[in-house]
Amino acid sequence: MTDPAPVLDDDPFSDDFLADPYPRHERIRDAGPVVRLSRYGIWASARHEQVFAALTDWRTFSSASGVGLADFRKEKPWRVPSLLLEADPPGHTQVREVMAQVLSPRRVRGLRERFAPVADELVSDLVERGSFDAVRDLAEVFPLRVFPDAVGLPEEGREHLLRYGDMAFNGFGPRNDLFGRAMADAEQVQAWITAACRRENLAAGGLGRDIWAFADTGTITQEQAAMLVRSLLSAGVDTTVYAIGNALAALTAHPGQWARLHDDPTLAKHAFEEAIRYESPVQTFFRTTTRTTDLGGVWIGPGEKILLFLGAANRDPRKWENPHTLEITRRAAGHVGFGMGVHGCVGQQIARLEGDVVLSALAERAATLTPTAAPVLRPNNTLRGFSSAPIQVDKATVRRR
Ligand code: OVM
């Protein structure tokens, strides 16, 4: 007993959609729990209940055919598939456990003492300036100041990291202009990334070498070790740049919320979490069905691509009160901005650490954030965020705590 799915002709990767996704998400959510997108001949869901259900059922909703539009069983992927992202259990489980150990809560706690002073210094310089670009001067600067060192990457050529992230995330979409532009010079960027993943190019004491240590004990092969370092470099830079930029833009647009955060900077981690719900850096991922299934009363056959709108699920009024408002003290738990289930972001504690130290440093020092121009969108087939968000800050005079 299933309902026919509504057919919509939206292109979620078009300039118009990417520029103003939220009203379009609403239309898709309201059309039904699962819809058909005729442009691409795929299924899609923008509701929290169905997105969550698909993410937590890897047996039915597989990642092994790719988590972008391309179906790896029919099209050659643009890069060797990730052992983590583009794989299912049991193969996935083994490498995931290695990554979970490398990125353990203990390890991440140890990174705080290195990350926090960098955030403090960067933020205090910017606040002294009085006005700065929240994206160009902070969101794009901070992760690149801490993460490559934490991994142990070579100094030379780190500018390739953002370009590679741009390739990876545009690469999940269709072969549109965004895809094509991101892939210009792909070979040069990929050559640097491949070299950076080699054991001899990774500094002792870094996360990269920690991954390689599992090759030394025979838990994984050398080829797997290099590929897992590649995962860190694919997923670990642009995501945090966009997340911090989006959090700053959202807090600038909600001055009352900034006032609360300034009043109690210990709320920074809640503010960051809520910002990920409110303006999710990773907007979409796909799955491929392995068998016939009923999702929200809609019958889907095997071997079908389904687009999961994470960013829309995170604003579904069926799940959230006032979903289109940033409320830093709300319980944002249950958002799917980091995914959910076996593929839920393995680096989420590092992402949260980066967001926390930046937002708490700024909350301590800036009494107000005022936009001096509208944020400028940086369109991407998967990521939502800005290339610029100019702000003016009022320096706090006396701290209350
Ligand atoms: C990967 C990976 C994992 C998560 C996200 C991602 C580019 C990549 O394992 O390569 O986005």
Side-chain angles (χ1 to χ4, degrees):
M1 237 16 85
T2 55
D3 308 320
V7 181
L8 303 178
D9 73 349
D10 295 64
D11 179 354
F13 307 101
S14 66
D15 295 341
D16 290 349
F17 195 107
L18 295 173
D20 191 19
Y22 299 117
R24 289 159 171 98
H25 289 165
E26 184 172 27
R27 267 193 60 233
I28 298 170
R29 275 192 307 261
D30 289 348
V34 174
V35 303
R36 228 23 234 157
L37 294 182
S38 53
R39 298 276 179 123
Y40 297 109
I42 58 171
W43 303 88
S45 180
R47 291 197 193 172
H48 187 277
E49 184 182 346
Q50 281 71 39
V51 168
F52 190 98
L55 290 173
T56 50
D57 180 6
W58 59 265
R59 288 173 196 277
T60 310
F61 297 94
S62 166
S63 293
S65 301
V67 297
L69 177 64
D71 185 336
F72 292 177
R73 297 163 311 164
K74 302 176 190 163
E75 283 181 58
K76 187 175 179 283
W78 69 272
R79 62 172 192 165
V80 176
S82 163
L83 302 178
L84 271 177
L85 182 72
E86 294 152 337
D88 291 332
H92 167 267
T93 313
Q94 190 216 358
V95 291
R96 166 81 188 204
E97 274 163 12
V98 167
M99 292 302 269
Q101 287 186 51
V102 169
L103 302 169
S104 70
R106 214 173 129 245
R107 186 71 161 90
V108 175
R109 272 199 300 278
L111 292 174
R112 180 177 287 267
E113 65 191 50
R114 291 203 251 153
F115 287 17
V118 178
D120 281 339
E121 195 197 311
L122 176 60
V123 164
S124 73
D125 284 355
L126 292 172
V127 171
E128 287 306 318
R129 267 165 50 180
S131 63
F132 61 92
D133 194 306
V135 175
R136 279 205 273 268
D137 300 327
L138 184 47
E140 289 183 353
V141 173
F142 178 71
L144 284 161
R145 245 181 227 181
V146 294
F147 188 71
D149 285 336
V151 176
L153 294 177
E155 296 281 343
E156 184 85 12
R158 290 181 176 186
E159 68 279 1
H160 290 90
L161 289 167
L162 283 174
R163 297 189 48 207
Y164 189 64
D166 206 52
M167 290 163 60
F169 285 98
N170 277 311
F172 296 124
R175 300 200 169 226
N176 56 14
D177 285 353
L178 288 168
F179 186 112
R181 268 181 270 140
M183 297 297 175
D185 297 320
E187 275 179 36
Q188 191 208 321
V189 178
Q190 283 183 288
W192 186 86
I193 293 289
T194 303
C197 295
R198 292 160 60 91
R199 185 209 306 251
E200 61 269 31
N201 292 330
L202 292 161
L207 299 169
R209 281 288 185 92
D210 288 357
I211 293 174
W212 274 94
F214 285 87
D216 298 335
T217 60
T219 310
I220 55 173
T221 66
Q222 303 205 356
E223 291 70 27
Q224 287 177 314
M227 284 293 288
L228 292 178
V229 178
R230 195 193 71 172
S231 284
L232 280 186
L233 308 189
S234 304
V237 185
D238 288 52
T239 47
T240 50
V241 167
Y242 278 70
I244 292 168
N246 291 359
L248 293 169
L251 286 160
T252 302
H254 292 76
Q257 298 296 301
W258 184 262
R260 290 189 76 168
L261 183 56
H262 174 60
D263 189 50
D264 181 4
T266 67
L267 292 173
K269 53 181 168 300
H270 297 282
F272 188 65
E273 205 66 27
E274 166 65 350
I276 287 170
R277 180 203 68 80
Y278 173 81
E279 197 91 86
S280 305
V282 178
Q283 285 277 304
T284 47
F285 267 135
F286 291 76
R287 292 293 189 262
T288 308
T289 54
T290 57
R291 53 193 178 195
T292 300
T293 187
D294 167 338
L295 186 64
V298 175
W299 199 244
I300 307 177
E304 298 274 340
K305 278 274 170 183
I306 177 165
L307 172 52
L308 306 175
F309 283 97
L310 310 179
N314 287 340
R315 286 178 175 233
D316 183 352
R318 294 160 192 79
K319 164 78 180 172
W320 311 96
E321 268 172 49
N322 305 324
H324 306 295
T325 310
L326 184 86
E327 294 173 3
I328 66 172
T329 52
R330 88 157 76 217
R331 289 192 39 152
H335 76 73
V336 291
F338 286 118
M340 200 52 77
V342 299
H343 287 284
C345 178
V346 73
Q348 57 187 282
Q349 293 308 339
I350 294 196
R352 291 193 175 110
L353 168 61
E354 290 183 33
D356 185 19
V357 295
V358 168
L359 292 184
S360 31
L362 191 58
E364 293 276 355
R365 290 175 177 77
T368 63
L369 307 183
T370 314
T372 54
V376 179
L377 185 79
R378 170 171 297 180
N380 181 288
N381 281 328
T382 303
L383 298 171
R384 176 164 174 80
F386 308 101
S387 57
S388 168
I391 62 174
Q392 187 253 310
V393 299
D394 271 331
K395 192 176 158 187
T397 43
V398 200
R399 283 310 315 173
R400 283 172 294 274
R401 58 177 79 224

